[in-house]
Amino acid sequence: LPEPGLRVLVPLARRRLWGTVLEATDQAPRGVAVRPIAGIPEPRLVLPPDLIDLCRWVSDYYAAGLGETLAAAAPALTALRRRAPRAAEEIEEEAHGGPPPTRATLNPEQRAALAALDDAVLAGGFRPFLLFGVTGSGKTAVYLHAALAAMERGGQALVLVPEIALAPQVADAFRRAGARVALYHSELRPRERVDVWRAAAAGELDVVVGTRSAVFLPMPRLRLIVVDEEQDGAYKQDEAPRYQGRDVALVRAQRRKIAIVLASATPSLETYTRLARTPEALLRLPHRVDRRPLATVRLADLRRRERSPEAPFSKHLTTPLLQAMTRTLERNEQGILFLNRRGHSTYLQCRGCGEVARCTDCDVPLTVHAEDEALRCHYCNASRKLAAACPSCGAVDLWFGGVGIQKIEREVARLFPQARIARLDLDAVRRRGSAAAILRSFRERRLDFLLGTQMVTKGFDFPGVTLVGVIVADLQLYLPDFRAAERTFQLLTQVAGRAGRGATPGEVIMQSYDPEHPALRAAAAQDFEAFYAREARERRDLSYPPFGHLVEIEVSGKGAEKVYRGGLRVKELFGRTARGVEGIEILGPAPKPLARLVGRERWHVLVRARSRPPLRALLAAALPKLRGERLPGLRVAVDVDPNQLL
């Protein structure tokens, strides 16, 4: 009989799909026609019992199907292969080669944090920690030493990072320290993902550095989990199963009875509220390595533009930023310019008839992409050629409104023709390995300015960067989402932290239309506690996370009236089920802020609760009824602990 956890190919109608054996028996269920397994991969892939149990928890907590959760936990198998797996050393050598082992020297604050982690790893048992340090304080070095200590005692470590681009530099740090390490993320080919999965399961790897899905990797000697930049929204899966990788990591550590480190300079409100109240769980690194000062931050008011004869005029770059860029070039230093908008312009409008080019399938304007002269939707990826005249009235007077990072790139190239610049965003890194190549050029000082979207805000360490310019600091501040201020504060603090990490002090210019906003003021001061105190007070008053709990039920389909009526039925079902349950509030249905995407109207119902138990009880009772509802032509998606409501 096949063992539980084995991945097998099974016949379904005329198709063959991958599945997971949960239980084996030699007795067929009565009245069921049994068909033989269509194939077993060679080498065999087997999910161990602890991962199957974790998948059951994910399926239950996030209201997802167990089958789709198990599929997310295992690497995709595109074909049956008959071949030998590669050894961990071969995987490592192919990726990066083998530099000589080195370890960074820790300062007293880092050593104190490491001592707490070492004690926890040695003692065993579930111990969650928040490694809370300012940008440049050496958090990576602390958890690297802790992972190496676990490795030296015969254990394995799993390190999660939010972005693929961050994984190589973290893996390189472990590799330089002599660890057998591999990467695990979606850019790997299916064969490579299978090889890493098997090497981790066989205990041939000491450390795996991966993105969200790596939380499910089988690691029999796992002693430590690290979630770097734990606040990052990329840890939340956008499609079923809609799990939060950070929280799944916490559950896995709890069930394995091991230590877990959540590292951040700007912790999520959930993590800070959960762990900061326990003094031994909070590991503080309040200073940068070698006591280097944090970058000085200046807020430049975009409403009151000052002209200076010393600086050239720019529509999007203020005089303080232009002057700072000039000084950066003169000193042979480096700078980062950040704008969280892809493309050249955010919309195209005809000045003749006033029409704005919009996506036919989504309720959003099309973004102008100058490089390929196209109009593109950033939600469904629909694209059409940029025309010379308005398709409605034929006028040729077209207005390119708003600003994207491509427009800033052209502006910088015009104003500073001698500067070596590159752009780091989703459009610039579509080819495999292109992000690593851009970052390598910047690290090797072959570029003066790196321009980018939020990809440039993450935990990169470039000692040559002395200037960070934020083109529009309040871009996301007024989005209709309860986390908007938190995301803005985190992004700005993170990108400000890229400046001054070397021997030369850093400078940050944040351009804003609302420089007095408390979130921007807190980011400029790089004062998390001030931001937390204000934001937590507002969230508590409204019972929003982490002081309340949310479930979003999204109903989508063709036709706004039909979708609205489907939303009403969902609300009525949850309302009937919630009668007599205290502390439950059901809101909606209401159109989502982005009311139509990919040709489907979208409405949602929100279930809000002050505590988790009544919410779990409501879901357990309501979801089976919801699955039994007849809602023809409509899709219903349940998102437990939604990361955003747009």
Side-chain angles (χ1 to χ4, degrees), residues 159-443:
V159 180
L160 301 181
V161 294
E163 298 279 356
I164 293 173
L166 283 175
Q169 77 170 24
V170 175
D172 284 343
F174 280 103
R175 198 170 283 112
R176 288 193 296 271
R180 298 176 299 170
V181 61
L183 301 176
Y184 191 82
H185 52 70
S186 60
E187 276 194 5
L188 296 179
R189 297 182 180 91
R191 166 187 166 172
E192 293 170 327
R193 286 170 67 88
V194 169
D195 287 336
V196 174
W197 199 90
R198 286 186 54 79
E204 297 167 357
L205 296 171
D206 302 313
V207 179
V208 176
V209 180
T211 49
R212 179 179 60 233
S213 61
V215 74
F216 295 109
L217 276 176
M219 302 181 77
R221 296 182 284 105
L222 187 61
R223 298 285 295 275
L224 177 68
I225 300 176
V226 177
V227 184
D228 202 4
E229 306 290 355
E230 64 81 25
Q231 81 290 342
D232 200 288
Y235 285 118
K236 176 70 172 179
Q237 175 99 337
D238 289 332
E239 55 191 28
R242 291 175 171 83
Y243 66 92
Q244 161 56 263
R246 174 199 63 215
D247 295 344
V248 175
L250 280 164
V251 171
R252 186 173 186 186
Q254 184 180 41
R255 293 184 169 209
R256 288 290 296 265
K257 297 181 173 58
I258 60 173
I260 180 171
V261 181
L262 310 181
S264 180
T266 55
S268 64
L269 266 72
E270 285 84 351
T271 293
Y272 193 77
T273 303
R274 179 187 293 146
L275 295 181
R277 67 184 66 172
T278 307
E280 58 269 23
L282 184 61
L283 307 178
R284 294 294 302 264
L285 299 177
H287 303 102
R288 281 187 160 180
V289 172
D290 298 332
R291 295 279 172 156
R292 293 171 187 151
L294 290 170
T296 58
V297 182
R298 176 179 175 181
L299 284 164
D301 195 337
L302 284 168
R303 299 167 300 181
R304 292 184 285 274
R305 305 289 299 276
E306 299 176 2
R307 295 290 299 271
S308 170
E310 292 83 21
F313 174 73
S314 169
K315 186 177 180 181
H316 305 290
L317 308 178
T318 58
T319 295
L321 181 52
L322 287 168
Q323 291 173 337
M325 293 172 70
T326 301
R327 291 193 298 269
T328 299
L329 287 173
E330 290 172 347
R331 296 169 182 166
N332 196 30
E333 297 166 355
Q334 292 178 293
I336 290 175
L337 300 184
F338 165 64
L339 176 65
N340 203 25
R341 272 186 181 162
R342 291 165 52 206
H344 178 275
S345 302
T346 53
Y347 64 94
L348 178 68
Q349 185 175 28
C350 173
R351 283 176 164 170
C353 66
E355 182 171 312
V356 173
R358 305 185 72 85
C359 177
T360 57
D361 287 330
C362 304
D363 190 25
V364 296
L366 292 168
T367 299
V368 180
H369 283 251
E371 288 181 334
D372 49 3
E373 296 184 338
L375 293 170
R376 185 168 294 128
C377 176
H378 288 172
Y379 294 93
C380 70
N381 210 32
S383 179
R384 71 174 188 244
K385 204 66 179 170
L386 181 62
C390 174
S392 296
C393 71
V396 295
D397 190 6
L398 303 179
W399 168 251
F400 293 82
V403 57
I405 195 64
Q406 290 180 8
K407 184 181 286 188
I408 299 301
E409 182 182 28
R410 291 189 170 194
E411 186 82 337
V412 172
R414 179 181 66 82
L415 295 171
F416 301 96
Q418 76 279 26
R420 301 165 298 172
I421 62 176
R423 197 180 78 245
L424 187 70
D425 64 4
L426 192 60
D427 302 301
V429 300
R430 292 194 182 278
R431 291 191 310 276
R432 177 182 167 125
S434 53
I438 293 169
L439 293 169
R440 191 182 310 114
S441 294
F442 195 57
R443 185 173 290 110

Side-chain angles (χ1 to χ4, degrees), residues 33-219:
V34 177
R35 299 174 67 183
I37 288 172
I40 298 174
E42 187 58 43
R44 300 155 74 90
L45 293 180
V46 181
L47 273 69
D50 65 311
L51 280 186
I52 294 177
D53 289 342
L54 184 66
C55 288
R56 290 186 188 277
W57 180 88
V58 169
S59 176
D60 175 63
Y61 184 89
Y62 292 103
L66 180 57
E68 59 193 4
T69 304
L70 290 165
L77 296 168
T78 56
L80 288 175
R81 301 178 183 274
R82 303 276 175 190
R83 60 174 179 81
R86 297 183 299 164
E89 292 79 6
E90 183 184 346
I91 298 170
E92 176 185 347
E93 184 65 31
E94 181 179 287
H96 288 281
T102 58
R103 294 197 192 188
T105 302
L106 303 184
N107 62 30
E109 292 169 349
Q110 291 172 304
R111 288 199 297 271
L114 177 61
L117 293 179
D118 277 347
D119 289 345
V121 172
L122 184 62
F126 174 57
R127 290 287 303 278
F129 293 94
L130 170 58
L131 184 58
F132 177 25
V134 298
T135 55
S137 59
K139 296 183 290 294
T140 301
V142 172
Y143 71 65
L144 181 143
H145 279 72
L148 293 175
M151 176 189 84
E152 289 163 356
R153 298 184 184 111
Q156 294 172 297
L158 173 64
V159 180
L160 301 181
V161 294
E163 298 279 356
I164 293 173
L166 283 175
Q169 77 170 24
V170 175
D172 284 343
F174 280 103
R175 198 170 283 112
R176 288 193 296 271
R180 298 176 299 170
V181 61
L183 301 176
Y184 191 82
H185 52 70
S186 60
E187 276 194 5
L188 296 179
R189 297 182 180 91
R191 166 187 166 172
E192 293 170 327
R193 286 170 67 88
V194 169
D195 287 336
V196 174
W197 199 90
R198 286 186 54 79
E204 297 167 357
L205 296 171
D206 302 313
V207 179
V208 176
V209 180
T211 49
R212 179 179 60 233
S213 61
V215 74
F216 295 109
L217 276 176
M219 302 181 77

Side-chain angles (χ1 to χ4, degrees), residues 451-494:
L451 289 63
T453 55
Q454 64 177 348
M455 293 178 73
V456 303
T457 69
K458 305 302 168 60
F460 299 116
D461 190 359
F462 300 119
V465 173
T466 59
L467 172 67
V468 166
V470 180
I471 308 303
V472 185
D474 35 19
L475 204 58
Q476 294 181 288
L477 194 53
Y478 297 107
L479 292 176
D481 189 274
F482 73 94
R483 296 189 200 273
E486 181 182 13
R487 287 199 192 94
T488 297
F489 171 81
Q490 290 168 342
L491 271 175
L492 296 180
T493 305
Q494 291 286 341

Side-chain angles (χ1 to χ4, degrees), residues 18 66 118 308 335 406 511 558 570 595 605 610:
W18 288 105
L66 180 57
D118 277 347
S308 170
Q406 290 180 8
Q511 302 183 151
K558 304 285 187 179
V570 168
V605 173
R610 286 196 173 271

Side-chain angles (χ1 to χ4, degrees), residues 58-66 68 553 569-570 573-574 618-631 636-638 640:
V58 169
S59 176
D60 175 63
Y61 184 89
Y62 292 103
L66 180 57
E68 59 193 4
I553 303 101
R569 290 179 67 179
V570 168
L573 185 152
F574 272 82
L618 173 62
L619 289 177
L623 289 179
K625 299 177 184 177
L626 181 61
R627 295 184 183 110
E629 280 283 307
R630 288 181 53 82
L631 298 170
V636 179
V638 179
V640 178

